[in-house]
Amino acid sequence: SYVTPQPKFWERLHSRPNYWNYSERHYAPLLDYLKERDELSSVLDLACNEGYFLQNLSRWGRFSRMAGLDVSRNVVTRAQQRVAALEAYHFDLCHFFQESPPLPEGLGCFDLCVLSDVLYYMAPFQISPYLYWDVMPLTWDLPRKRRVLEHCRRLTRKLLIVSAHQDLPSIRYLLETTPGMKLVLPGFYALETT
């Protein structure tokens, strides 16, 4: 049921709002974890979907800059409608498997970067995520998988949060063997970058 992550697929999937049925409850543990981190004043959601997570953060009123990336133009548009001051960018995170990904102009760095519920759908172009994460050995293509996290880290000034999407052994292995990455909540790993 999983397919290679092509932009046309995501546009069809997100033709109707809230395909994944996200709610505030989905993000509650992560929001509770971040609530005490007053030093975080800018945030980048690396797969922002329709902006539900960012909308929750915007209610705190302490983020001077909020941005989101997503492969689907449909959800980027909805995220901008949901969070008024959001900088939203149409971007395919699969570019992060490349050595020098073509980042959106003016993106810059953020105190907090979040990569949640998306690693499983990411694979180098033309490779099925199912094969990439489920079938191949845990260490297969590890340097390229680590490259994704390194690009995320470069966008992060203070804290990078990554979810172990679907609790897959290959994703857990990647996160657990990344220097400095620590399990902070069930299913969520954090890397302090300062």
Side-chain angles (χ1 to χ4, degrees), residues 139-185:
T139 57
W140 186 76
D141 207 25
L142 198 55
R144 198 158 36 170
K145 291 174 182 175
R146 289 199 193 289
R147 187 180 299 147
V148 170
L149 295 179
E150 180 57 25
H151 289 313
C152 294
R153 191 199 60 73
R154 286 185 187 140
L155 294 169
T156 308
R157 278 193 290 265
K158 296 180 181 177
L159 180 64
L160 171 63
I161 300 283
V162 183
S163 71
H165 193 202
Q166 299 188 10
D167 201 33
L168 286 175
S170 57
I171 292 176
R172 274 197 332 270
Y173 180 82
L174 171 65
L175 297 174
E176 289 169 359
T177 60
T178 297
M181 190 75 73
K182 296 178 181 153
L183 182 68
V184 293
L185 295 166

Side-chain angles (χ1 to χ4, degrees), residues 2-6 10 94 118-124 126-136 168 170:
Y2 294 104
V3 300
T4 303
Q6 297 296 317
W10 296 114
C94 290
V118 73
L119 263 178
Y120 181 77
Y121 299 104
M122 293 174 63
Q126 307 307 317
I127 298 176
S128 164
Y130 170 73
L131 290 174
Y132 196 70
W133 294 104
D134 285 344
V135 175
M136 301 308 286
L168 286 175
S170 57

Side-chain angles (χ1 to χ4, degrees), residues 11-81:
E11 291 302 340
R12 282 192 309 273
L13 188 73
H14 293 293
S15 62
R16 66 180 175 99
N18 200 8
Y19 175 84
W20 302 107
N21 199 26
Y22 283 126
S23 68
E24 194 165 322
R25 190 176 57 122
H26 178 78
Y27 298 109
L30 183 55
L31 291 166
D32 287 343
Y33 173 77
L34 294 171
K35 198 168 275 186
E36 306 304 316
R37 302 292 302 257
D38 292 335
E39 79 279 13
L40 304 174
S41 62
S42 60
V43 60
L44 171 62
D45 188 339
L46 288 157
C48 69
N49 197 273
E50 295 183 20
Y52 294 101
F53 176 70
L54 293 168
Q55 181 182 37
N56 282 288
L57 290 180
S58 71
R59 293 179 183 140
W60 298 351
R62 71 171 191 233
F63 290 94
S64 59
R65 185 172 181 217
M66 301 183 87
L69 302 174
D70 207 283
V71 68
S72 167
R73 291 182 196 281
N74 290 329
V75 298
V76 166
T77 299
R78 290 186 201 117
Q80 285 178 305
Q81 293 166 348

